[in-house]
Amino acid sequence: MAAVTEKRRVLYRQGSGFWRMTAKWALAFGVPYLLDGGLLRSWGDALVWPMIGILLWVPFGIGVVWYPRKDQLVTLTAGELRVRRKRLPMEKVNLLHVARLWLEGRSTADGRPVAEWARLDRVVWVPLLDGRAFGVEIRDPAAFAKVFGAFAVAACGGPDVVRARAAVSTYPDPLPMRPRRSADGDGSWLDLLDVFE
């Protein structure tokens, strides 16, 4: 999950997972093709396996091509959260709120326990200092919340400091922002959010 680069320490990174899924798909139908052609029947008869794989993959592939966030790259570093080409400096993020909720075992903005997150719930809300919160689509939201929460606790000075600051600090509860479509109509909802620079 974590990697070290020359310029910055990457805490979390995710891509679309398209090629990884395609490779698994090819392996799942390639192995029966090799076994069937080499051991059981002829290579001509074994061609049914890759044909089935292609026929089943085509709808999935078309859906991915049409999916507006298929190439969404999410990178979390100590200085910023990057979604595709947009960057959100950590100075704008309410890290105290993230750290406090993480110490309580809850998520970043909606207050649900992380252990209750389902894999289908893929939006993680990132709270801002101005009281807003925007959603980032994450393939594994629990893994992202774990990394983000641990980073926020460390950035705020540790668990004891977080509890002490949370007891005396007041800030508005994060209010999720509704997504807006880009002016150029490319289907991306994060491009024009003014929280990014």
Side-chain angles (χ1 to χ4, degrees):
M1 193 66 66
V4 178
T5 64
E6 296 180 0
K7 296 183 179 180
R8 61 182 178 176
R9 181 168 178 261
V10 178
L11 304 174
Y12 180 90
R13 186 190 300 275
Q14 78 161 30
S16 64
F18 173 76
W19 293 112
R20 183 182 305 172
M21 176 67 71
T22 301
K24 291 180 180 179
W25 201 277
L27 182 64
F29 288 93
V31 170
Y33 167 70
L34 294 176
L35 293 177
D36 199 0
L39 298 177
L40 302 178
R41 299 183 298 177
S42 67
W43 291 107
D45 293 334
L47 282 175
V48 67
W49 291 109
M51 292 303 298
I52 292 175
I54 292 173
L55 290 176
L56 294 177
W57 181 89
V58 166
F60 167 77
I62 293 175
V64 169
V65 169
W66 283 347
Y67 185 54
R69 299 181 186 176
K70 64 180 182 299
D71 297 324
Q72 178 164 292
L73 176 66
V74 177
T75 305
L76 173 66
T77 66
E80 66 182 12
L81 173 63
R82 183 172 182 176
V83 180
R84 299 175 70 178
R85 294 185 301 272
K86 303 301 179 180
R87 303 170 186 265
L88 174 63
M90 282 298 135
E91 291 80 8
K92 293 185 177 182
V93 179
N94 190 345
L95 290 177
L96 178 61
H97 184 69
V98 177
R100 179 177 64 84
L101 290 183
W102 176 251
L103 290 178
E104 297 173 358
R106 297 190 288 154
S107 64
T108 52
D110 58 11
R112 288 182 303 151
V114 176
E116 295 180 3
W117 282 12
R119 289 299 297 265
L120 296 178
D121 298 332
R122 298 195 172 194
V123 174
V124 174
W125 294 99
V126 179
L128 306 178
L129 290 173
D130 60 6
R132 297 177 298 169
F134 73 94
V136 179
E137 184 174 330
I138 305 292
R139 268 206 323 272
D140 190 349
F144 176 83
K146 180 179 180 180
V147 175
F148 194 28
F151 162 73
V153 171
C156 291
D160 294 335
V161 176
V162 169
R163 294 185 181 97
R165 288 180 56 191
V168 298
S169 299
T170 58
Y171 51 80
D173 290 332
L175 180 64
M177 295 183 295
R178 293 192 178 276
R180 298 179 294 176
R181 289 191 179 275
S182 298
D184 56 4
D186 64 353
S188 175
W189 288 15
L190 288 176
D191 287 347
L192 291 186
L193 287 180
D194 56 4
V195 298
F196 286 92
E197 293 182 343

